[in-house]
């Protein structure tokens, strides 16, 4: 039975009395991937959430809260995953969903998802940061419409549950946590989750994509470019919280190149774990940190934020979509040739 995060962690979330809108989010697998010298490497598969990304942890709380306060609709700006998650939870709650995306910048699978759940998709000519500003303005003017981006504090509270699950799974805090950073909400939520539980805080490493790495460059960017469309963000709304989290935990921000991201995606997939490019950035960053001897000893957890099926066009850059055509009566011989090329 899946009780959903609000009931499971109500003791820690400390939310006001509300009727949960849940799709059975959370409780995602944490896989022991490898041991590299003194580092035990764990991968938390957030793509196993109901809509295929970590956003569901926050969305169950934000949408429950919005419905409880009498909202008729939710709105968000998104690079795709927030849109899909908001659409699903709004559908479950009987609310309308409006999602605002940067035109031609969102993976097709996420668009289809949001649309299938019944959301209205609105595209602007501009980037994510402009879309976020626009929806903030709308939510400020219209009290019946709730903003469910991670600037909504209920979203971040829900996303703290990722930290709770790691603590409950390992029995203690890991020594390091590596995660991809876009709008910078998730890294901040993990930090607060560990802090609330008071069982130790891992060093936090925030990984950005080169070309969209304002936290590494230490200034906002107007132009952003990376293959990892989910984290193509130049003005992270929660930058101040993320900087505090990284500083206080003695971690750092780093960036990885598109080719490092694609190679990491391929390596994970060949090991049975198919994630989207933004999530592969975390693994690429983890490898760089290991090679540069920056990882502390002990348990190291990487958060793989989204499912590979969300964006199938990008991995087609390295995975062949052309099948090998064979004759059925010669199947055994053909297989033999692939075994011993
Ligand atoms: N990984 C994935 C798969 C994401 O979709 C996002 C953000 C992040 C990492 C970064 O998380 O923003 O909390 O630092 N996606 C948002 C969206 C922006 O609209 O779906 P963050």
């Amino acid at each position: 039975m899946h009780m959903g995060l609000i009931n499971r962690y109500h003791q820690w979330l400390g939310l006001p009395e509300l009727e949960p809108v849940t799709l059975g989010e959370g409780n995602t697998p944490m896989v022991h991937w490898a041991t590299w010298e003194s580092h035990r490497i764990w991968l938390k598969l957030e793509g196993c959430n109901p809509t295929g990304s970590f956003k569901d942890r926050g969305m169950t709380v934000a949408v429950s809260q919005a419905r409880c306060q009498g909202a008729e609709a939710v709105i968000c700006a998104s690079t795709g995953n927030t849109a899909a998650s908001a659409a699903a939870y709004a559908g479950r709650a009987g609310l309308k969903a409006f999602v605002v995306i940067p035109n031609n910048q969102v993976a097709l699978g996420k668009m289809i998802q949001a649309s299938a759940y019944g959301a209205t998709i609105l595209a602007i000519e501009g980037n994510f940061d402009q879309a976020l500003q626009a929806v903030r303005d709308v939510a400020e003017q219209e009290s019946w419409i709730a903003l469910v981006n991670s600037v909504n504090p209920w979203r971040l509270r829900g996303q703290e549950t990722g930290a709770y699950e790691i603590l409950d799974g390992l029995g203690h805090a890991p020594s390091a946590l590596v995660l991809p950073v876009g709008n910078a909400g998730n890294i901040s939520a993990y930090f607060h989750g560990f802090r609330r539980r008071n069982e130790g805080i891992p060093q936090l490493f925030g990984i950005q994509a080169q070309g969209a790495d304002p936290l590494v460059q230490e200034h906002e960017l107007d132009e952003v470019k990376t293959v990892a469309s989910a984290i193509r963000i130049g003005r992270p709304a929660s930058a101040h919280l993320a900087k505090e989290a990284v500083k206080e935990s003695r971690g750092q921000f780093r960036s990885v190149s598109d080719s490092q991201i694609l190679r990491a995606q391929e390596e994970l997939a060949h090991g049975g774990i198919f994630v989207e490019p933004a999530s592969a950035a975390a693994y690429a960053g983890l490898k760089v940190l290991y090679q540069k001897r920056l990882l502390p000893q002990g348990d190291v957890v990487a958060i793989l934020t989204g499912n590979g099926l969300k964006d199938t066009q990008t991995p087609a850059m390295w995975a062949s979509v052309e099948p090998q055509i064979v004759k059925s009566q010669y199947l055994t011989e053909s297989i033999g040739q692939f075994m011993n090329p």
Side-chain angles (χ1 to χ4, degrees), residues 31-34 36 41-45 180 260-287 302-308 315 318:
V31 174
H32 180 234
W33 173 250
W36 298 338
I41 307 298
W42 301 88
L43 304 179
K44 187 128 173 88
L45 307 187
Q260 284 174 309
I261 290 173
L262 294 173
R263 259 183 284 133
Q265 186 181 38
E266 181 172 8
E267 186 184 327
L268 286 170
H270 287 182
I273 296 177
F274 189 30
V275 300
E276 66 169 286
S279 314
Y283 185 67
L286 173 67
K287 292 187 70 161
I303 308 298
L304 302 184
T305 45
N307 196 299
W318 54 263

Side-chain angles (χ1 to χ4, degrees), residues 54-55 78-82 180-186 230-231 233 276 278 305:
F54 72 98
K55 306 284 181 182
S78 183
T79 56
N81 282 324
T82 301
V181 173
N183 212 24
N186 206 31
I231 51 172
I233 293 174
E276 66 169 286
T305 45

Side-chain angles (χ1 to χ4, degrees), residues 80 101 103 106-116 121 310:
I101 59 164
N103 203 14
V106 171
L108 184 61
K110 301 174 187 179
M111 302 262 288
I112 303 259
Q113 240 190 319
S115 165
I121 303 178
K310 294 252 184 190

Side-chain angles (χ1 to χ4, degrees), residues 65-125:
Q65 186 64 21
R67 186 174 67 176
C68 175
Q69 308 228 305
E72 292 165 41
V74 300
I75 193 167
C76 65
S78 183
T79 56
N81 282 324
T82 301
S85 185
Y89 282 81
R92 187 83 185 101
L95 304 178
K96 283 214 165 301
F98 296 95
V99 305
V100 182
I101 59 164
N103 203 14
N104 295 320
Q105 300 280 320
V106 171
L108 184 61
K110 301 174 187 179
M111 302 262 288
I112 303 259
Q113 240 190 319
S115 165
Y117 290 130
T120 303
I121 303 178
L122 305 162
I124 62 151
E125 290 308 331

Side-chain angles (χ1 to χ4, degrees), residues 323-340:
Q324 306 286 338
I325 306 293
V326 297
K327 292 206 160 50
S328 57
Q329 65 269 39
Y330 298 127
L331 189 56
T332 311
E333 289 83 347
S334 304
I335 289 171
Q337 280 171 13
F338 290 114
M339 285 302 288
N340 309 298

